[in-house]
Amino acid sequence: MDEMKYSMAEEIKVFRSWSSPFALRIIWALKLKGVEFDTIYEDLTNKSPLLLQYNPIHKKVPVLVHNGKVICESLVILEYIDETWKQNPLLPEDPHQKANARFWAKFGDDKVMQSIGGGVLLKEGKEQEEGFAASMEDLKYLEEEIRGKKFFGGETIGLADIALGWLAHYLDIFEEIVGLKLIDQEKFPSLAAWKQEFTNAPIIRENWPDRDKLVTKFAAMREANLGKGTPK
């Protein structure tokens, strides 16, 4: 209760868009910590002067503003949140385990998201086949890492789970749009179980963006990238 009162006395704002999986990470982390905050939704086709002021380099969400201090980039924000509010830690104390969590969070952004989003969702034909093969290879590494564990963070949701959490919702949408299956029970049983376990956590489940709207958005993005339409 004292922690909640303390957070209520602070200025905590999150600039996000309704659909960004990167911004969703910050929502999950703050809610897991029990920290109250204000949400500012950005129209990324018409970014506000405030967003451009706070993040002039990348000009994108998420942005966290804490008592006038500005923090950008989702993985950086997650670490700031974990160091600022100690309850329900996202990173372990052990230096090696901490480094390992950071590695898999970065692997998710640099490899998994690129191979699935850039190589499968936004491609077709031979390029998509190559993207699919790369995605399956990346997912094998995640399957090996999560095997025998409830979460990447052990028994509780941690940094790597939050960073990879988009797979538990957005991946099904991408699969529906392109008509391909990447994570199934037979090939990736541990990863499939993790997806379900992660989604079942109330704070995660209650904060997913509307599925139908996401299908419409990413289908339009795919069409536009393939030169067949205009993104919405």
Side-chain angles (χ1 to χ4, degrees), residues 14-110:
V14 178
F15 287 74
R16 63 172 296 193
S17 70
W18 71 269
S19 61
S20 168
F22 298 101
L24 195 54
R25 295 168 173 176
I26 312 311
I27 307 303
W28 288 333
L30 289 171
K31 285 182 176 285
L32 284 168
K33 296 277 188 181
V35 175
E36 290 197 343
F37 58 94
D38 294 322
T39 304
I40 294 92
Y41 283 94
E42 286 284 335
D43 176 0
L44 298 184
T45 64
N46 184 26
K47 297 171 185 176
S48 73
L50 208 51
L51 176 64
L52 299 178
Q53 173 190 325
Y54 285 149
N55 194 358
I57 296 174
H58 297 297
K59 302 178 175 64
K60 63 183 182 181
V61 296
V63 171
L64 176 71
V65 181
H66 178 214
N67 292 336
K69 295 174 290 189
V70 179
I71 307 96
C72 303
E73 294 296 294
S74 64
L75 294 183
V76 176
I77 297 172
L78 289 178
E79 294 223 26
Y80 177 87
I81 289 171
D82 206 37
E83 291 173 10
T84 303
W85 295 283
K86 301 297 185 182
Q87 62 272 25
N88 300 326
L90 303 178
L91 282 166
E93 287 294 323
D94 179 76
H96 181 259
Q97 292 177 2
K98 189 177 293 187
N100 197 50
R102 288 172 173 147
F103 172 84
W104 289 110
K106 194 84 166 52
F107 177 79
D109 280 6
D110 293 348

Side-chain angles (χ1 to χ4, degrees), residues 121-134:
L121 177 66
L122 300 181
K123 294 290 190 291
E124 61 183 351
K126 183 170 177 54
E127 285 184 317
Q128 188 185 66
E129 290 174 13
E130 292 170 353
F132 183 83

Side-chain angles (χ1 to χ4, degrees), residues 145-164:
E145 177 62 22
I146 193 65
R147 188 174 295 132
K149 295 191 288 190
K150 185 176 181 180
F151 296 110
F152 286 93
E155 286 301 306
T156 58
I157 291 172
L159 179 85
D161 298 284
I162 290 176
L164 292 161

